Amino acid sequence: MTVEVRPLADGEVRAAHTLFRASLHRGPMSDEQWETFVDSFEPGRTHGAFDGDRLVGTALAWSSDLRVPGGAVLPMAAVTRVGVRADFRRRGALRALMGVQLADVARRGEVFAGLHASEAGIYGRFGYGVATRSQRMAAKGARLRPGVPFGGSVRVVDAGDKVIFDLYAAVGRAGVGTIARPAAMWKNYERAWAIKENLVTAVHTGPGGDDGFVTWRPVESEGFEQHVLQVEDFVAADAGAAYALWDFLFSLDLVERVRVWQRPVDEALQAAVVDPRTVTVEGVEDDLWVRVVDVPAALAARAYRPGDPVVVEVLDPLLEANSGRYVIGPGGAERTGAEAAVAVDAEVLAMVYLGGWTWTALAAAGRVQVRDPDAPAALDRLFAVDRAPFTGTYY
Ligand SMILES: CC(C)(COP(=O)(O)OP(=O)(O)OC[C@H]1O[C@@H](n2cnc3c(N)ncnc32)[C@H](O)[C@@H]1OP(=O)(O)O)[C@@H](O)C(=O)NCCC(=O)NCCS
């Protein structure tokens, strides 16, 4: 028996979404919920896996993009809502969906696919690697030190105020690893806002205008006095805007603790507060898993630091057109017939591509085939980035 995968017609998408929700142990949406949620599907981008004429699995993508080192922004398929029927697990439905979806992404000229993984053991085999990571933080009784440079003002807006749609596009994309939030993805946010109570959004205005926002809600409240605030979205154009927003969160009354679940791993909040123990890093987690779908285009588009060129072999049996050797140097990257100094699979290429992991560390972990022992350090010099890549957009 073979599973067949094809794009779903608009009229089939609701059944696919019901299947996806069931894979997350949730029931179907009501007609009323579906009425607004249907806009969160981009036409033609939901795939269905069929056993005969029975829908057994689904996956969708949104048209997004990804900022890479050097500043280029390249098209990326934001993959989500991946699910397979409980009674059809481990029979190849996901494998079939991934194969067809990646071929579709390639056909559309998208250089990357990106997703957030429900479980870390699933996607590496399809060439997805952890390209950005984030830290989960909690602050209790924290205050910023007097010398922390920030200013401006903060205003609270209505929860779900669409001002943040444009604001994200204008100020949220400075960093490597950030992605576009297309209209259909915002619909997903709106759905989440609709079912979460007491959401609050605050916008920061700096010297050049609005330059950041946070959205939070109280959780684990005890009586009227003490609340834990869970920050769900934290976007800042630069460090000044980020510290201004932290300062605002620290200043709120009746708050026992502030928790933020995604911040850049190199944000030095503990160094910016009076007592470093008032800020806890609760964990460092995988953020965006990236699949390099068009390796020549991706390697050619990012910037490299000064250093000796190195030949890298990419092994990509799933998207065979990517396989081959590439010479990478300060001037860029292109295919070559020369001998390779290292070889990597698509997953490891995705991990090093944005600078989130070093070649030497992954070589030490046995993830890079090293043919020239000097090559990992030489590649680290070429791939070095100023800031840790960070996505900070969960979907
Ligand atoms: C995860 C899920 C989509 C997998 O679907 P599936 O059709 O059972 O997967 P397949 O049979 O195609 O398996 C493909 C490969 O992935 C592996 N795999 C599948 N699910 C896995 C998991 N949860 N953890 C580790 N490996 C997994 C299989 O062992 C198989 O490996 P191999 O071919 O390399 O030997 C399905 O279990 C599901 O719907 N889970 C709940 C919803 C969910 O987590 N969705 C993902 C959202 S990001």
Side-chain angles (χ1 to χ4, degrees):
M1 169 223 42
T2 17
V3 177
E4 299 219 359
V5 175
R6 62 167 172 81
L8 297 179
D10 290 352
E12 297 173 304
V13 167
R14 185 168 181 181
H17 191 57
T18 299
L19 186 157
F20 166 68
R21 285 177 64 91
S23 80
L24 299 182
H25 310 286
R26 295 190 192 142
M29 280 188 166
S30 67
D31 290 347
E32 192 188 342
Q33 288 167 333
W34 181 252
E35 204 172 303
T36 51
F37 196 68
V38 64
D39 293 341
S40 74
F41 290 82
E42 238 179 87
R45 299 218 68 171
T46 305
H47 280 93
F50 290 86
D51 171 35
D53 54 10
R54 184 173 69 133
L55 182 68
V56 294
T58 184
L60 77 73
W62 289 307
S63 307
S64 178
D65 58 43
L66 174 70
R67 185 174 296 280
V68 306
V73 172
L74 304 178
M76 182 193 87
V79 171
T80 187
R81 297 184 195 151
V82 179
V84 168
R85 279 180 66 107
D87 56 3
F88 206 84
R89 296 271 158 86
R90 309 301 179 263
R91 290 159 73 179
L94 177 65
R95 181 168 286 283
L97 279 162
M98 289 285 114
V100 173
Q101 187 182 54
L102 285 173
D104 184 53
V105 170
R107 189 185 55 76
R108 289 169 184 268
E110 290 167 323
V111 179
F112 306 102
L115 56 77
H116 292 91
S118 61
E119 291 180 89
I122 303 174
Y123 292 101
R125 59 173 53 73
F126 305 119
Y128 284 88
V130 176
T132 65
R133 284 175 288 173
S134 58
Q135 55 179 342
R136 185 184 286 268
M137 312 184 79
K140 186 180 166 89
R143 274 186 303 123
L144 291 183
R145 294 165 65 93
V148 178
F150 72 91
S153 60
V154 175
R155 71 180 189 282
V156 172
V157 299
D158 288 342
D161 190 320
K162 292 192 172 51
V163 70
I164 67 171
F165 293 16
D166 291 340
L167 193 50
Y168 176 78
V171 307
R173 298 299 311 283
V176 168
T178 56
I179 63 170
R181 296 182 182 180
M185 189 189 286
W186 279 118
K187 281 279 164 201
N188 213 39
Y189 276 77
E190 289 184 278
R191 159 85 189 135
W193 296 335
I195 56 178
K196 288 176 180 169
E197 287 186 344
N198 302 321
L199 272 182
V200 184
T201 295
V203 175
H204 179 257
T205 309
D210 291 349
D211 57 10
F213 65 89
V214 278
T215 297
W216 73 86
R217 69 193 170 105
V219 291
E220 300 173 37
S221 300
E222 281 180 30
F224 291 115
E225 285 82 27
Q226 292 304 333
H227 302 272
V228 176
L229 299 187
Q230 178 66 54
V231 175
E232 309 212 328
D233 206 2
F234 191 137
V235 172
D238 53 27
Y243 282 124
L245 288 165
W246 276 117
D247 181 65
F248 180 73
L249 291 167
F250 295 162
S251 77
L252 295 170
D253 292 328
L254 305 180
V255 173
E256 205 250 329
R257 218 159 2 119
V258 177
R259 303 185 71 196
V260 182
W261 73 295
Q262 287 198 306
R263 289 301 296 154
V265 291
D266 58 355
E267 181 173 64
L269 185 61
Q270 282 166 319
V273 293
V274 174
D275 176 350
R277 290 189 187 166
T278 56
V279 170
T280 311
V281 175
E282 295 188 317
V284 173
E285 291 156 9
D286 46 284
D287 184 0
L288 191 69
W289 290 66
V290 168
R291 207 308 172 187
V292 185
V293 175
D294 184 340
V295 170
L299 288 179
R302 67 152 284 178
Y304 301 95
R305 290 282 168 77
D308 294 331
V310 180
V311 177
V312 173
E313 180 165 12
V314 176
L315 309 162
D316 191 354
L318 195 56
L319 293 176
E320 196 49 66
N322 288 326
S323 292
R325 281 166 277 168
Y326 300 85
V327 56
I328 302 173
E334 59 187 19
R335 284 192 189 268
T336 179
E339 229 166 274
V342 297
V344 286
D345 60 20
E347 178 182 5
V348 171
L349 180 68
M351 293 169 77
V352 291
Y353 178 77
L354 295 177
W357 304 77
T358 63
W359 288 83
T360 43
L362 294 186
R367 302 296 300 273
V368 179
Q369 286 179 36
V370 180
R371 295 167 190 164
D372 170 356
D374 295 331
L379 285 163
D380 282 348
R381 286 190 284 279
L382 292 168
F383 277 70
V385 289
D386 293 334
R387 296 284 316 269
F390 173 65
T391 304
T393 291
Y394 189 81
Y395 58 90

